[in-house]
Amino acid sequence: MDKRLASPSRRLFLQTSAAVGGGLLLSFNLPAAGRAAEAAAPSRLNAFVRIARDGTVTIAAKRAEIGQGMKTTLPMLIAEELDVDWAQVRIEQAPVDNAVYGDQWAGGSMSTPQEWEPTRRVGAVARALLIAAAAQRWGLPAAGLVTEPGVVIDPAGKRRLAYGELVEAAAKLPVPDPQALTLKDPARYRIIGKAHPQSDNPAIVTGQPLYGLDVRLPGMLYATFLKAPVFGARVDRVDLAPALAVKGVRAAFVVEGGTALDGLLPGVAVVADSWWTARKGRQALEVVWTDHPASGQSSVAMAARAAELARQAPQRVMRQEGNVETALAGAAKVVEAAYHYPFLAHATLEPQNCTAAWKDGKVEIWAPAQDPEEGRGLVARTLGVAPGDVTIHLTRSGGGFGRRLMNDYMVEAAWIARQAGAPTQLIWSREDDTRHDFYRPAGWHNLTAGLDAQGALVAWRSHAVSFGEGDKFVRAAEVDASQFPARAVANHLQTVSTLPLAVPTGWLRAPGNNAFGWVFQSFIDELAHASGQDPVAFRRRLLGEPRALGKPGGWDNLDTGRMRGVLDRAAEMAGWGRAVAKGTGLGIAAHFSHLGYVAVVIEASVGDDGTPVVHKAWAAVDVGRQILNPSGAEQQVQGSVLDAIGSTLRQKITLENGAVVEG
């Protein structure tokens, strides 16, 4: 299991809960939050919870909101254990402070499993403090008191105290041990498991400022940053005069930068009164870039080298069970297939942007970031300041998908703002965003499988070609050797070869699995076809009896029973086996990723021009016992299906002469 999934320590709980009276930086509020501001000054029960005398509860959302709904979902956990009416809850984005809030990054689909218990305990601590305050006022044992939404009730049910009446006294009481508190029985949940719209929806649909692009500061300037088409190439020479001649351009300068692709790279910055003016100044530049070794990279050359490696002995073995070669030699039928997937860009709707202000050796940043603490460290190292001198405010992200786990745009903005001597908002153009992404790595998989006379899978061999050197993969290019049908077939061999890469790579939504699922499920379809079996029946047979393929609690612990459950449900919803129109077909896939099980049926056809057309999709998803917010869960599934269709049929990134072709 990923170490970041482990339960937070008791020390973290106590750190969090002990922050009574600590400052809470206000970010963006829903318009309705004005009612709370009009009430008497609220008291803080801990860093997460503030209650006003009128009963309004303000809860801090600790993690970045990138469209996955965490700004709403995590406060739901607190509100449930606090026992309040959801209609009385207002949500604010918490300041970036890992010492108080713990991990605040959003990535790897881990926010819910990480926060499921500790965040509920934050709410339980706040409720316990309110009960203790009521017990103190009434002179009764706290153990006999109960709560209903927003009130504490005595054992006889005759006396009631609203939270707003108790909060000031509660905030002064000793903090109980969070681990000693009993959490609510799921049968009594009022908030968890119920559909709730995202807290930002009213602001989004009425155009209120929420996103990084919405930040406005007094005296703020705007910047563009031109980098070399070949990743990491330096500025050889440039005449800045044409840019400076554009009316409204305040400054233009060369940034020397470094060589780390995930840091501050060389380039030319143009700072102006408006972004459009900065863009015009940038367009006036003619930059000559130095030669760079990466200029020899191309998609064509990579594919040719991958084909050579596929014909050679693999460089290393990732996983081996049984004797694949003997099983293949004795198989009734051997099936081979090769698959390739391209580099992909994240293509977030909101391009990369960041606003920074430099003053007296300190920098303040407003950014749509997925990993703000890493960004703080990067800025501090690059600008030569202490991490404590870097303040970061999280804005809502117009899409993340893993792209904003990297903080290159943050350090660029900080550097430019210091040089410009004024608060500066850096905005990347769409072309910048496409040509300077951290791409989902391309890959090649060469698969061979053996079937016995009854059509059962008896051997599976995979030789993957990915990127890296020696025994190290480049970022996000790891080959997962636990992918199904590993452990479900007696004779299994996963090998890999790598080729070097000087292209920035990173994690894309469902890292690795967004490619592996397509490869392995496509090959399983080929095996079903070769054996003359229905694709659903073949998968059922391969899954076998319900059992765990891995260690309990492990990140790769696939339960074949749960996988069979989503497979059967998706097939049932789609009417698998029914007659369809001529030229139309049904396809199915089932995959395990990030502790979740998903099966999807697609009804599609191929047009006269050879273009695939998707008519309908059915998805069955099992991500565990508690769906915290069904509304958000449905949005995630629908968005994932659309994302997958787009990635499969329309998207790719191509390299020529070391640069990205697409803009």
Side-chain angles (χ1 to χ4, degrees):
M1 177 181 286
D2 191 299
K3 66 181 181 180
R4 292 167 295 189
L5 270 174
S7 296
S9 65
R10 181 169 179 267
R11 177 173 174 270
L12 171 59
F13 285 139
L14 294 177
Q15 272 188 328
T16 301
S17 299
V20 176
L24 181 63
L25 174 68
L26 302 184
S27 183
F28 302 104
N29 297 284
L30 288 170
R35 293 196 298 272
E38 294 166 5
S43 293
R44 293 178 177 83
L45 290 181
N46 54 42
F48 290 85
V49 179
R50 191 171 74 243
I51 300 177
R53 283 199 289 270
D54 69 355
T56 301
V57 180
T58 302
I59 299 178
K62 62 174 281 188
R63 300 235 179 190
E65 176 55 63
I66 57 174
Q68 85 287 38
M70 284 299 109
K71 187 175 179 182
T72 302
T73 302
L74 296 186
M76 285 172 60
L77 295 175
I78 294 174
E80 184 69 76
E81 293 293 339
L82 178 58
D83 202 5
V84 294
D85 185 345
W86 184 247
Q88 291 295 104
V89 173
R90 306 292 178 258
I91 298 174
E92 296 171 347
Q93 185 68 59
V96 179
D97 189 340
N98 282 13
V100 172
Y101 295 97
D103 286 337
Q104 293 182 265
W105 64 291
S109 303
M110 290 189 289
S111 290
T112 297
Q114 275 188 323
E115 299 295 342
W116 167 244
E117 181 177 335
T119 300
R120 285 187 298 148
R121 291 196 181 277
V122 168
V125 165
R127 176 176 173 270
L129 288 169
L130 292 163
I131 289 175
Q136 188 179 69
R137 183 176 298 189
W138 288 332
L140 295 174
L145 305 185
V146 296
T147 61
E148 289 181 359
V151 296
V152 180
I153 305 171
D154 74 2
K158 295 181 179 179
R159 288 181 291 184
R160 303 162 67 89
L161 282 169
Y163 285 178
E165 300 176 71
L166 296 167
V167 66
E168 290 183 13
K172 300 172 184 177
L173 295 175
V175 178
D177 179 359
Q179 296 287 47
L181 300 176
T182 300
L183 297 177
K184 185 183 287 189
D185 182 342
R188 297 176 51 236
Y189 285 163
R190 294 186 175 98
I191 297 172
I192 294 174
K194 307 297 190 297
H196 298 284
Q198 289 196 26
S199 63
D200 284 340
N201 283 359
I204 292 172
V205 300
T206 56
Q208 302 303 307
L210 285 171
Y211 298 92
L213 292 173
D214 295 326
V215 174
R216 296 292 182 269
L217 301 175
M220 188 179 81
L221 302 176
Y222 295 83
T224 61
F225 188 48
L226 176 61
K227 290 182 285 192
V230 177
F231 305 105
R234 308 185 73 83
V235 177
D236 183 24
R237 59 186 183 276
V238 60
D239 181 3
L240 299 175
L244 293 169
V246 175
K247 184 179 180 181
V249 169
R250 298 289 192 91
F253 48 86
V254 173
V255 176
E256 293 298 330
T259 59
L261 296 182
D262 55 358
L264 180 66
L265 288 176
V268 182
V270 178
V271 182
D273 294 330
S274 71
W275 183 80
W276 191 252
T277 301
R279 181 178 182 272
K280 289 175 64 178
R282 166 176 161 164
Q283 290 176 326
L285 294 172
E286 292 187 10
V287 183
V288 177
W289 305 96
T290 61
D291 292 333
H292 194 278
S295 62
Q297 293 184 128
S298 73
S299 295
V300 172
M302 290 174 187
R305 179 56 181 153
E308 291 177 0
L309 290 172
R311 293 190 293 268
Q312 299 172 9
Q315 294 173 358
R316 56 193 170 110
V317 173
M318 301 289 292
R319 187 184 195 100
Q320 184 170 10
E321 287 133 352
N323 191 320
V324 167
E325 302 309 322
T326 299
L328 286 173
K333 182 175 289 188
V334 174
V335 181
E336 295 181 305
Y339 298 89
H340 164 62
Y341 43 86
F343 291 98
L344 286 184
H346 292 82
T348 58
L349 185 60
E350 178 190 24
Q352 310 317 308
N353 67 91
C354 179
T355 303
W358 172 271
K359 185 177 181 180
D360 300 330
K362 297 182 179 181
V363 61
E364 194 168 3
I365 289 170
W366 292 258
Q370 288 185 244
D371 197 352
E373 196 61 38
E374 284 293 320
R376 188 201 306 274
L378 177 62
V379 170
R381 292 191 301 273
T382 307
L383 272 63
V385 300
D389 290 333
V390 180
T391 300
I392 298 177
H393 308 293
L394 276 177
T395 66
R396 186 182 175 98
S397 295
F401 317 126
R403 171 59 179 93
R404 301 183 202 272
L405 287 167
M406 316 308 293
N407 294 288
D408 48 335
Y409 56 95
M410 189 185 294
V411 74
E412 290 171 1
W415 187 277
I416 293 169
R418 183 175 68 174
Q419 186 79 4
T424 304
Q425 185 173 101
L426 170 69
I427 302 175
W428 288 24
S429 70
R430 183 64 63 197
E431 293 83 358
D432 292 336
D433 210 28
T434 303
R435 293 182 173 136
H436 289 281
D437 201 349
F438 289 82
Y439 305 98
R440 191 283 303 273
W444 298 262
H445 290 256
N446 307 279
L447 300 169
T448 305
L451 302 166
D452 66 15
Q454 289 73 45
L457 179 63
V458 295
W460 178 289
R461 182 178 67 199
S462 174
H463 180 189
V465 178
S466 188
F467 296 99
E469 295 187 62
D471 61 352
K472 302 291 185 183
F473 292 102
V474 301
R475 183 188 293 114
E478 297 87 351
V479 174
D480 184 355
S482 69
Q483 290 283 324
F484 187 80
R487 302 164 296 181
V489 57
N491 303 291
H492 176 270
L493 178 64
Q494 174 68 64
T495 62
V496 68
S497 297
T498 55
L499 56 156
L501 184 69
V503 171
T505 57
W507 300 279
L508 177 66
R509 190 176 190 177
N513 291 275
N514 54 56
F516 302 146
W518 171 71
V519 169
F520 295 138
Q521 289 296 306
S522 295
F523 192 50
I524 287 173
D525 266 355
E526 296 291 343
L527 298 179
H529 179 73
S531 67
Q533 298 178 67
D534 174 83
V536 172
F538 186 85
R539 285 174 170 82
R540 287 171 176 159
R541 183 177 182 180
L542 186 54
L543 287 166
E545 293 300 315
R547 65 199 188 282
L549 301 181
K551 296 180 180 178
W555 190 245
D556 61 350
N557 185 32
L558 186 155
D559 184 314
T560 62
R562 293 175 67 183
M563 181 68 86
R564 171 72 178 266
V566 295
L567 178 73
D568 289 348
R569 184 73 181 103
E572 176 189 359
M573 288 190 295
W576 187 264
R578 62 181 168 84
V580 295
K582 184 178 180 180
T584 300
L586 296 175
I588 194 165
H591 192 65
F592 172 69
S593 170
H594 291 73
L595 306 180
Y597 303 79
V598 179
V600 178
V601 175
I602 294 286
E603 182 174 326
S605 61
V606 179
D608 294 337
D609 61 352
T611 302
V613 178
V614 176
H615 300 286
K616 193 168 183 178
W618 298 262
V621 181
D622 173 3
V623 291
R625 184 183 63 192
Q626 296 298 338
I627 303 295
L628 305 189
N629 187 351
S631 174
E634 289 179 6
Q635 292 168 19
Q636 286 295 306
V637 175
Q638 293 167 353
S640 296
V641 171
L642 292 171
D643 203 358
I645 292 170
S647 298
T648 303
L649 300 182
R650 297 284 180 262
Q651 299 174 25
K652 68 175 179 178
I653 289 295
T654 309
L655 290 160
E656 287 182 8
N657 301 319
V660 170
V661 174
E662 293 77 18

